[in-house]
């Protein structure tokens, strides 16, 4: 069963906003190292080209680490599928005739629509839309997080 409502907000973002919900914060949230992931070998054609187009920018913005590789691969695969389906729609139209002469919706239209939905979902997860980016505050990897600064201020060691 899928989750209901909006995706949970990262703990770092809640802290930076002063924890407006006043709920307990997750102090154990993972902080992955900012290693640039390699493009998976199964991505080919348009999917691989999309990886090359967006991966460096996402990584440089602090939005892509090694553990985000699969999420970006899903986005890129959906992109590649969407591009192929759109080419078929352009070639044959949105409505096609069956062998028996009946008119029906081009099956590639359903494929394109599903791929667009998957792309939108993954783009939001990866901070690739203007509205998603407006809700994200990224701490560059070289700088300590707010949690590190607060912990250091109360006499703890950072590291």
């Amino acid at each position: 069963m899928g989750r209901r409502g909006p995706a949970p907000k990262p703990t770092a973002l809640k802290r930076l906003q002063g924890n407006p919900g006043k709920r307990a914060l997750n102090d154990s949230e993972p902080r992955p190292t900012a290693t640039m992931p390699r493009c998976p070998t199964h991505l080919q054609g348009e999917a691989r080209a999309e990886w090359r187009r967006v991966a460096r920018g996402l990584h440089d913005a602090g939005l892509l680490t090694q553990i985000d590789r699969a999420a970006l691969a899903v986005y890129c695969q959906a992109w590649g599928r969407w591009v192929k389906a759109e080419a078929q729609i352009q070639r044959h139209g949105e409505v096609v005739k069956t062998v028996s002469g009946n008119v029906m919706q081009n099956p590639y239209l359903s494929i394109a629509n599903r791929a667009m939905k998957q792309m939108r979902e993954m783009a939001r997860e990866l901070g690739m839309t203007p509205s998603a980016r407006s809700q994200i505050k990224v701490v560059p990897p070289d700088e300590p997080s707010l949690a590190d600064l607060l912990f250091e201020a109360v006499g703890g060691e950072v590291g």
Side-chain angles (χ1 to χ4, degrees):
M1 185 174 211
R3 71 170 182 252
R4 292 184 176 179
K9 190 177 289 188
T11 300
L13 183 55
K14 289 180 187 178
R15 278 197 180 95
L16 289 167
Q17 294 174 337
N19 191 16
K22 306 300 182 213
R23 292 187 178 97
L25 297 176
N26 179 2
D27 291 324
S28 303
E29 187 172 294
R31 291 180 55 205
T33 56
T35 305
M36 174 73 175
R38 289 181 175 230
C39 181
T41 56
H42 75 274
L43 293 182
Q44 298 297 316
E46 288 291 336
R48 181 171 284 276
E50 183 67 356
W51 178 285
R52 289 184 184 134
R53 188 182 73 80
V54 301
R56 175 56 59 191
L58 287 170
H59 181 264
D60 290 349
L63 298 171
L64 180 67
T65 67
Q66 185 64 33
I67 65 171
D68 305 313
R69 180 179 185 233
L72 182 57
V74 168
Y75 166 82
C76 292
Q77 190 66 41
W79 169 270
R81 190 166 290 133
W82 178 68
V83 170
K84 286 179 186 176
E86 287 294 328
Q88 291 298 320
I89 294 166
Q90 288 177 9
R91 177 179 291 150
H92 302 289
E94 293 180 4
V95 176
V96 294
K97 283 190 177 182
T98 65
V99 177
S100 60
N102 296 323
V103 177
M104 65 177 268
Q105 175 181 297
N106 186 336
Y108 283 101
L109 193 56
S110 294
I111 293 169
N113 288 337
R114 273 195 310 274
M116 282 191 290
K117 183 178 181 197
Q118 292 167 339
M119 287 182 335
R120 278 193 312 269
E121 289 171 3
M122 294 314 298
R124 268 194 304 268
E125 290 288 327
L126 293 163
M128 294 172 65
T129 66
S131 63
R133 284 191 301 277
S134 74
Q135 299 174 22
I136 297 173
K137 171 108 172 112
V138 176
V139 177
D142 299 337
E143 297 179 22
S145 70
L146 179 60
D148 292 336
L149 295 173
L150 292 173
F151 190 68
E152 186 175 48
V154 294
E157 289 184 30
V158 177

